[in-house]
């Protein structure tokens, strides 16, 4: 009997949800200069608006994962999709204070996406396919960002940013309704999964579906591997968020690109991120199958890729032509993205029955970095050398992340 392929429909559903979540969360960046001009706010206030998502998103990671353990992944992700859609619509309503509140609520609503999604992949995929699944999941996050960048720029010009956010709220509600009706928490519960597919998934179920019970917080907090995992995620997320916050403004001010041009150019590093995530997942799983060496397949690949990324970002300093500079930066982002699925697979291996909690902890630290960097950019612009200093700090973050990957030893923490 041939295994059914229901697990791939599950993955497609997760990828669609990830794309929609990143689509709406990144809708502010390409419209930043227009919103700032219409509301009469400063760049510092714009930085607060863009970072407002990430503080509650970071701090609610663990509570959202714990709520999902009580509700089950099916109902938790469906609820989160409806809530982040309502928050998106709220962005159309008001002044700076209302928009900051809506961004913060969106952060709360999306906090469970990555830890719960990682738990679903651990339950639905065997170990030797988990990096590939994580690569697709991570890649489709950037698919949402890619679509958001030019579409937002076009809609801002065509219908205005307020109506744009109203329309952006609709797809998430439709996705949540489908997910609630079709998805099941475990392969054994889904009528479309046959015995051969359950047997194929088997190892993933054994490592990821046991009831987690009490979270061993003392063991997690004292684990060097968890600390390294969180530190590298802080640096990588802080670097990545440059594209979802200030990159379009950087292109407009430092490179003289128009708002529509910056919207299109912003898609290039994001497209590189998508392809890098998917390539990295397949490569990491292939190295694991060929060598049986998890440290080489996960940590080694990540460290090399991040160092290559930093080198390419620094070299963009010397490229005067805007499109070529963006292409060089995009090549760097392709390298950096190969580490994304390695993170997901490492969490699945490291977390045992506490995959959601370990994922939530790492993602919390990552988004603390993502929250800090948009605020740091105006300070770097004013006091540290302008956009060159921003680009330098952006590249340095990936070097530090590579060091933490090399320091990591992935003994099970929980």
């Amino acid at each position: 009997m041939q295994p059914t392929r229901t697990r791939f429909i599950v993955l497609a559903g997760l990828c669609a949800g990830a794309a929609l979540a990143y689509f709406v969360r990144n809708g502010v960046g390409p419209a930043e200069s227009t919103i700032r001009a219409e509301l009469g706010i400063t760049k510092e206030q714009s930085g607060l608006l863009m970072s407002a998502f990430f503080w509650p998103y970071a701090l609610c990671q663990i509570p959202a994962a714990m709520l999902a353990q009580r509700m089950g992944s099916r109902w938790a992700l469906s609820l989160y999709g409806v809530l982040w859609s309502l928050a998106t619509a709220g962005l159309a309503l008001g002044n700076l204070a209302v928009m900051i509140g809506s961004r913060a609520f969106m952060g709360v609503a999306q906090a469970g996406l990555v830890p719960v999604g990682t738990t679903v992949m651990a339950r639905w995929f065997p170990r030797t396919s988990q990096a590939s699944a994580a690569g697709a999941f991570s890649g489709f996050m950037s698919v949402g960002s890619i679509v958001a960048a030019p579409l937002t720029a076009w809609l801002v010009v065509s219908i205005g940013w307020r109506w744009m956010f109203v329309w952006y709220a609709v797809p998430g509600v439709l996705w949540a309704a489908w997910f609630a009706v079709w998805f099941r928490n475990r392969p054994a519960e889904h009528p479309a999964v046959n015995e051969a597919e359950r047997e194929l998934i088997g190892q993933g179920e054994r490592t990821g579906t046991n009831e987690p019970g009490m979270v061993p917080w003392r063991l997690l907090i004292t684990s060097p591997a968890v600390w390294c995992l969180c530190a590298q995620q802080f640096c990588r997320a802080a670097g990545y968020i440059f594209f979802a916050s200030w990159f379009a403004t950087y292109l407009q001010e430092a490179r003289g690109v128009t708002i529509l041009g910056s919207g299109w150019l912003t898609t290039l590093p994001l497209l590189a991120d998508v392809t890098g995530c998917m390539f990295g997942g397949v490569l990491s799983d292939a190295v694991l199958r060929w060598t049986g060496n998890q440290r080489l397949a996960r940590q080694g690949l990540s460290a090399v890729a991040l160092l290559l990324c930093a080198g390419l970002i620094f070299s963009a300093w010397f490229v005067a032509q805007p499109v070529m500079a963006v292409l060089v930066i995009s090549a760097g982002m392709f390298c950096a993205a190969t580490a994304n699925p390695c993170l997901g697979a490492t969490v699945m291996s490291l977390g045992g029955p506490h995959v959601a909690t370990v994922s939530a902890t790492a993602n919390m630290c990552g988004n603390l970095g993502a929250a800090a960097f948009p605020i740091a950019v105006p300070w770097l612009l004013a006091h540290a050398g302008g956009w060159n200093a921003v680009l330098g700090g952006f590249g340095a973050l990936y070097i530090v992340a590579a060091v933490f990957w090399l320091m990591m030893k992935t003994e099970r923490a929980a």
Side-chain angles (χ1 to χ4, degrees), residues 112-192:
L113 176 66
V114 171
V116 181
T118 304
T119 301
V120 170
M121 288 183 286
R123 289 173 174 170
W124 279 85
F125 284 85
R127 186 172 71 96
T128 53
S129 298
Q130 287 175 349
S132 298
F137 184 59
S138 297
F140 270 83
M141 294 176 186
S142 286
V143 168
S145 302
I146 287 168
V147 175
L151 183 60
T152 295
W154 180 71
L155 289 175
V156 165
V157 174
S158 301
I159 64 172
W161 57 270
R162 294 184 188 273
W163 274 109
M164 175 193 73
F165 285 124
V166 173
W167 284 107
Y168 277 9
V170 175
V173 175
L174 298 177
W175 174 84
W178 170 83
F179 195 82
V181 170
W182 186 86
F183 180 70
R184 299 295 183 272
N185 292 327
R186 302 170 188 272
E189 299 171 357
H190 204 293

Side-chain angles (χ1 to χ4, degrees), residues 14-374:
L14 288 178
C15 290
L20 290 173
Y22 273 66
F23 174 77
V24 297
R25 80 163 69 170
N26 291 331
V28 171
E32 183 274 331
S33 59
T34 303
I35 294 172
R36 172 159 46 92
E38 183 171 325
L39 296 182
I41 59 178
T42 65
K43 285 185 177 178
E44 287 75 12
Q45 289 172 316
S46 278
L48 289 174
L49 172 61
M50 287 186 284
S51 71
F53 171 92
F54 295 99
W55 295 108
Y57 181 75
L59 297 175
C60 290
Q61 290 286 311
I62 294 173
M66 295 174 69
L67 177 62
Q69 287 179 0
R70 286 181 169 271
M71 297 180 65
S73 302
R74 176 187 182 186
W75 298 113
L77 283 176
S78 301
L79 173 64
Y80 298 157
V82 171
L83 293 179
W84 82 54
S85 299
L86 293 175
T88 303
L91 289 170
L93 296 178
N95 55 23
L96 178 63
V98 174
M99 294 185 72
I100 287 175
S102 295
R103 285 278 290 176
F105 183 61
M106 184 188 296
V108 173
Q110 290 194 10
L113 176 66
V114 171
V116 181
T118 304
T119 301
V120 170
M121 288 183 286
R123 289 173 174 170
W124 279 85
F125 284 85
R127 186 172 71 96
T128 53
S129 298
Q130 287 175 349
S132 298
F137 184 59
S138 297
F140 270 83
M141 294 176 186
S142 286
V143 168
S145 302
I146 287 168
V147 175
L151 183 60
T152 295
W154 180 71
L155 289 175
V156 165
V157 174
S158 301
I159 64 172
W161 57 270
R162 294 184 188 273
W163 274 109
M164 175 193 73
F165 285 124
V166 173
W167 284 107
Y168 277 9
V170 175
V173 175
L174 298 177
W175 174 84
W178 170 83
F179 195 82
V181 170
W182 186 86
F183 180 70
R184 299 295 183 272
N185 292 327
R186 302 170 188 272
E189 299 171 357
H190 204 293
V193 178
N194 67 7
E195 182 62 33
E197 186 173 23
R198 285 195 291 271
E199 181 65 25
L200 178 65
I201 293 170
Q203 181 60 37
E205 285 206 87
R206 283 193 292 275
T207 60
T209 61
N210 295 332
E211 293 302 324
M214 185 71 70
V215 176
W217 288 112
R218 181 176 179 181
L219 188 59
L220 287 176
I221 291 171
T222 58
S223 168
V226 172
W227 278 93
C228 288
L229 198 71
C230 292
Q232 67 79 34
Q233 188 66 359
F234 179 95
C235 295
R236 288 198 313 117
Y240 174 84
I241 203 60
F242 179 54
F243 295 107
S245 56
W246 288 104
F247 190 61
T249 305
Y250 159 74
L251 292 174
Q252 294 165 29
E253 295 188 357
R255 298 285 185 169
V257 178
T258 66
I259 182 172
L260 288 174
S262 67
W264 283 107
L265 287 176
T266 298
T267 65
L268 295 178
L270 298 175
L271 182 61
D273 186 78
V274 172
T275 54
C277 283
M278 295 182 180
F279 173 77
V282 172
L283 179 61
S284 181
D285 278 341
V287 172
L288 180 60
R289 288 192 295 269
W290 292 337
T291 68
N293 188 328
Q294 181 165 295
R295 180 170 174 78
L296 177 63
R298 310 307 194 205
Q299 291 99 288
L301 176 62
S302 297
V304 171
L306 292 171
L307 290 173
L308 287 173
C309 169
L312 286 163
I313 290 170
F314 291 140
S315 68
W317 270 340
F318 305 104
V319 180
Q321 209 281 332
V323 175
M324 288 303 301
V326 173
L327 287 173
V328 172
I329 292 172
S330 298
M333 289 311 299
F334 176 89
C335 294
T338 61
N340 288 353
C342 297
L343 170 66
T346 300
V347 166
M348 293 180 217
S349 173
L350 189 66
H354 302 284
V355 169
T357 304
V358 175
S359 177
T361 303
N363 210 38
M364 175 186 71
C365 293
N367 283 280
L368 290 175
F373 196 67

